[in-house]
Structure formats: C-alpha cells, structure tokens
Amino acid sequence: MFKRFALALFILFVITACDRDYRHSPLPSTSNVVILGDSLTFGTGAATGEDYASILASTTGWHVINAGVPGNTTQDGLARLNDLLDAHESGQQKIDLLLVELGGNDFLKHVPQSQTINNLKSILSQAKARNIHIALIAIPEFSPVGAAFGTLSDHPLYEKLAVETDTPLIEDLFSDVLAKNSLKADYIHPNAAGYRVVAEKLHKALIDLGYLRKN
C-alpha cells in the first residue's frame, strides 16, 4: 500500500513538473548570454564563426559569450564557473542568461553518472544563487550504434535533473543533428550545416521559454 502511494506521489510530481511554466520576459538585445560548454559549443567541426553561439549572436543581437572548451567534462566546467560568476558579481561581465551544455565528455570518458549529476547540480545551484537565469541543454546518450543508424536520443539524466532542480530543459538540440550524416563533421560533432540547425532549434527553444520574442 505504501509503495503504491509513493509511486502515485512521484507520478504526480513528474506531471506537475512537466506542466511548469518556465516562460520569462524577453531579454533585450544588449543582454549578455554565456554558454558554458565543451567542443559542441566551441564549434569543433566547423570554421570560425560557424559555431551555434556565433549564429545565435547574429540572429538575436545578444552579446553571446562562447565559453566552450573542447574536451571539458562537467568537472572542468564547474571549475571554470567561478571566474564567470566572479565577473558577474563584480559587474565586469554580467550574465543575463547562462546556458549549460556539458556532459558529452563525461559519457565518452565513462565518468560515473552520479558524479556528472552532482557537478551539473552544483553548476545550476551556484548560478541560481546569483539570480542568474539558466537553462540546461540535453546531450545525446553515447551510442555508436545509434549514431550509425540515426537513432540518437538525449541522455535520460537531463530530464530527471531538470525536474529535480526545477530548471528549464532544452531538448533534442544535438540528438537530431548528430543522427544525420549530412549534418556531421565526425561522429560526435556537427559540421557548419549542423551548427546552423542547432542554432535554429535553440532560437525556437528560447522563444518558447520567453527569452526571445516571436518574429
């Protein structure tokens, strides 16, 4: 009986979380948007200026800071966060919106999932403590077979983490792109065309969250 009651409460919690309204007021064109990420944010696989952060900047007018470092794990991202938050608090570089794109290298390096989750939770909680708007970008679950046959999907830890931390989740940003050979530079990075698709999908997601006005 208790197990059934606990299960019912959990299902209700998930449904309620999924129904939360994460819409915000649109950010002005002068806003600073930081993307804390790895090689997917850096733009590996495409030429300079073809990364999705640069495209987002050109289509929104925002000052988009590409804080993507190839090879970074969630632990590396967490270590770099302090400098970003210090600059925010000092007024040197305010952060109006922080997008977190990390986890892919954890999967490739077989970092324990619990460690990945804890690192991401720490990043989210530290940013929220400074009243910074934040959104989490889901990364595909590592699957050579899925990549080969075009059936990639987001790692389930992101949806669970978004619910537990009450954080907006941007889904299927890379899964759909990396499932198509025509949009990939290699099996883990988009090419220039792929990054354009990523930027378009991100733009739409940010409209849905209210950070951008619908044209």
Side-chain angles (χ1 to χ4, degrees), residues 167-211:
T167 302
L169 178 65
I170 298 175
E171 303 175 275
D172 299 320
L173 199 61
F174 290 102
S175 292
D176 292 344
V177 169
L178 294 176
K180 297 180 176 65
N181 288 331
S182 61
L183 298 177
K184 293 191 294 187
D186 54 48
Y187 78 102
I188 58 172
H189 298 108
N191 55 24
Y195 283 119
R196 286 196 296 273
V197 174
V198 168
E200 290 169 2
K201 290 166 71 72
L202 178 57
H203 195 280
K204 182 182 183 304
L206 293 170
I207 288 175
D208 292 341
L209 289 173
Y211 289 118

Side-chain angles (χ1 to χ4, degrees), residues 81-90 95 126-127 130 132:
L81 182 64
N82 284 335
D83 288 341
L84 293 171
L85 294 181
D86 287 346
H88 169 76
E89 293 190 328
S90 69
I95 304 174
Q126 288 187 51
R130 273 78 171 183
I132 297 171

Side-chain angles (χ1 to χ4, degrees), residues 4 15 18 20 33 42 48 68 110 117-118 121 150 152 156 165 178 181 186:
R4 289 181 186 174
I15 292 174
C18 291
R20 287 194 180 104
V33 176
F42 179 81
T48 301
H110 304 291
I117 291 172
N118 287 337
K121 279 184 176 180
L152 288 178
T165 61
L178 294 176
N181 288 331
D186 54 48

Side-chain angles (χ1 to χ4, degrees), residues 17-205:
C18 291
D19 287 340
R20 287 194 180 104
D21 185 3
Y22 285 116
R23 288 190 64 81
H24 300 273
S25 299
L27 296 177
S29 59
T30 54
S31 298
N32 288 332
V33 176
V34 175
I35 309 179
L36 180 64
D38 49 37
S39 58
L40 291 175
T41 293
F42 179 81
T44 299
T48 301
E50 293 179 334
D51 57 281
Y52 74 91
S54 294
I55 299 171
L56 182 66
S58 67
T59 58
T60 62
W62 289 341
H63 180 213
V64 180
I65 297 93
N66 186 330
V69 176
N72 260 200
T73 62
T74 55
Q75 182 63 49
D76 296 322
L78 177 59
R80 289 195 292 120
L81 182 64
N82 284 335
D83 288 341
L84 293 171
L85 294 181
D86 287 346
H88 169 76
E89 293 190 328
S90 69
Q92 179 183 351
Q93 182 176 276
K94 301 293 283 185
I95 304 174
D96 298 296
L97 173 63
L98 177 67
L99 303 177
V100 180
E101 176 279 303
L102 288 166
N105 288 307
D106 291 51
F107 306 149
L108 291 172
K109 296 177 180 180
H110 304 291
V111 174
Q113 186 169 309
S114 59
Q115 183 178 329
T116 299
I117 291 172
N118 287 337
N119 290 337
L120 288 172
K121 279 184 176 180
S122 184
I123 291 171
L124 299 177
S125 64
Q126 288 187 51
K128 288 180 179 182
R130 273 78 171 183
N131 296 314
I132 297 171
H133 292 297
I134 191 165
L136 181 64
I137 296 175
I139 303 301
E141 187 168 15
F142 179 62
S143 171
V145 174
F149 290 94
T151 57
L152 288 178
S153 58
D154 293 343
H155 197 294
L157 76 80
Y158 291 96
E159 184 174 6
K160 182 180 179 182
L161 181 61
V163 171
E164 290 179 352
T165 61
D166 194 22
T167 302
L169 178 65
I170 298 175
E171 303 175 275
D172 299 320
L173 199 61
F174 290 102
S175 292
D176 292 344
V177 169
L178 294 176
K180 297 180 176 65
N181 288 331
S182 61
L183 298 177
K184 293 191 294 187
D186 54 48
Y187 78 102
I188 58 172
H189 298 108
N191 55 24
Y195 283 119
R196 286 196 296 273
V197 174
V198 168
E200 290 169 2
K201 290 166 71 72
L202 178 57
H203 195 280
K204 182 182 183 304

